[in-house]
Amino acid sequence: MGLIREIRQVTKNRFLNFFELSTVKKTGDPGKYFLASRAESVDDLEIRRKKTRADGVAMYVLCGREHDKVLLIRQFRWPIGAYVYEFPAGLVENEETYEEAAVREIDEETGLEMKPLAADPMYTRPYYMTDGLTDESCAMVYGYAEDDDHARQHLEDSEEITVVIADRAEVRRILREERVAENAALQLMHFLHDADPFGFLKE
């Protein structure tokens, strides 16, 4: 296994920072590795904490009387210069539970009221996003919301978000034709084929 000899913080930003690792490869040769992180300092990196803590939370929300629609957002993302279909998501603030963060973010991004479901921690614990680039992890919260065509958003100036409440036909089109975030895409594939998309939570 490789070793990390030193960590140097390259940037000092509010939401995302860049770090340079001085490493020793498994061959014994020295190397460099770079990572992006939500951490504000070297001591806050998971490398130092040795404990996974969710930076963010994503919400898989079903809508409609029959729970046969799914709540998505279509958001402009600077890194790809285009709109992407995603689950609503956001950062977990200090002292918030995942459920509290989920309810707050759903309200801010969509104006809808989310009712979280209790689920086995196996389904809600933090999982890594892109571990070759970042130590960021995200928890998932599941729930229901009323289908409200008059939803009011509370967006920041930097956010360009359209609320999308999609049935299975629209989900199929989105997966075939649009840019989609991976964590949403994988769940949407199950949504297409499972009579009860949340059936696995009840096992």
Side-chain angles (χ1 to χ4, degrees), residues 73-78 80-86 160-162 178-180:
I73 59 172
R74 180 177 179 266
Q75 181 166 199
F76 181 80
R77 288 298 194 180
W78 291 106
I80 61 171
Y83 286 92
V84 178
Y85 283 80
E86 309 172 339
E160 295 183 41
I161 296 175
T162 302
E178 304 288 353
R179 294 177 172 90
V180 184

Side-chain angles (χ1 to χ4, degrees), residues 150-192:
H150 305 286
R152 295 185 178 181
Q153 299 166 290
H154 313 283
L155 302 179
E156 297 177 8
D157 291 344
S158 61
E159 293 179 311
E160 295 183 41
I161 296 175
T162 302
V163 178
V164 177
I165 298 175
D167 60 15
R168 284 180 169 84
E170 178 62 3
V171 165
R172 193 177 300 277
R173 185 199 70 78
I174 289 168
L175 287 174
R176 283 178 171 160
E177 301 176 9
E178 304 288 353
R179 294 177 172 90
V180 184
E182 184 186 34
N183 68 342
L186 294 174
Q187 294 283 16
L188 290 175
M189 292 174 193
H190 290 285
F191 173 79
L192 282 180

